[in-house]
Amino acid sequence: MIVFTHTNFIYDKDRIFRQLHLKESENVTKYTHQVFPKLIQLAQENLEITTCYSLQENSPHLGLPNIDCCKYVVLCFCSCSDKINLLIDDLIRNHQFLDGFLLNHISNELLFNASNQMNSQLENTLIRLGLRLTKRHSPGEEKIDLKFQRNILKGLVAETPIQARLTETHMLEPEKSMLYYFGADSEIKSHSTKHDCQTCHSIHCPHRLVD
């Protein structure tokens, strides 16, 4: 059964400023302080974040790598609607380049935080079921082919419609969306879902720079 989770609108302004390498003495930092409340409001009005997961038997037709030892798989989806990307594009088209850049970064941070909240919720649920999780696996990382996004999405839409689509090159739309999975079993070593930048393979991720 697919579970749609509730996540809170969480952000850390200081963290975002560190990610952007903003220094208090710079004019761009002063402008960012001024425009930040407006951008947060725009994000809150237009993100429309969806977070959901599905615990399923790890059957061969899913064909997901690195979880052969697990009886179950947890398929995960996090996404923002197209509204936020259209708004960012509109800002840039109207030469509000900095506003567009800042709103894009803020939106990515909020989606990242929503994903972390969902992961924590599903981990607690599986603990109550006596199940342990593998580490998170994401197509496009750790030599997992991007094409496996199709397997994850197919497994989710078999249970309920999901507002997402894949291009011929396996790129996920809406643009601000994530598909990933965990293996789950009662007999494996437990891995926390808490994100650990030290072990993350996304070495160029801006979130990594401040953890």
Side-chain angles (χ1 to χ4, degrees), residues 146 149 165-173:
L146 201 59
Q149 291 204 120
R165 55 204 172 273
L166 288 168
T167 68
E168 291 183 358
T169 55
H170 312 292
M171 299 302 293
L172 186 59
E173 297 177 342

Side-chain angles (χ1 to χ4, degrees), residues 181-193:
Y181 62 97
F182 301 89
D185 198 280
S186 60
E187 302 297 327
I188 61 172
K189 178 183 177 182
S190 181
H191 291 75
S192 172
T193 60

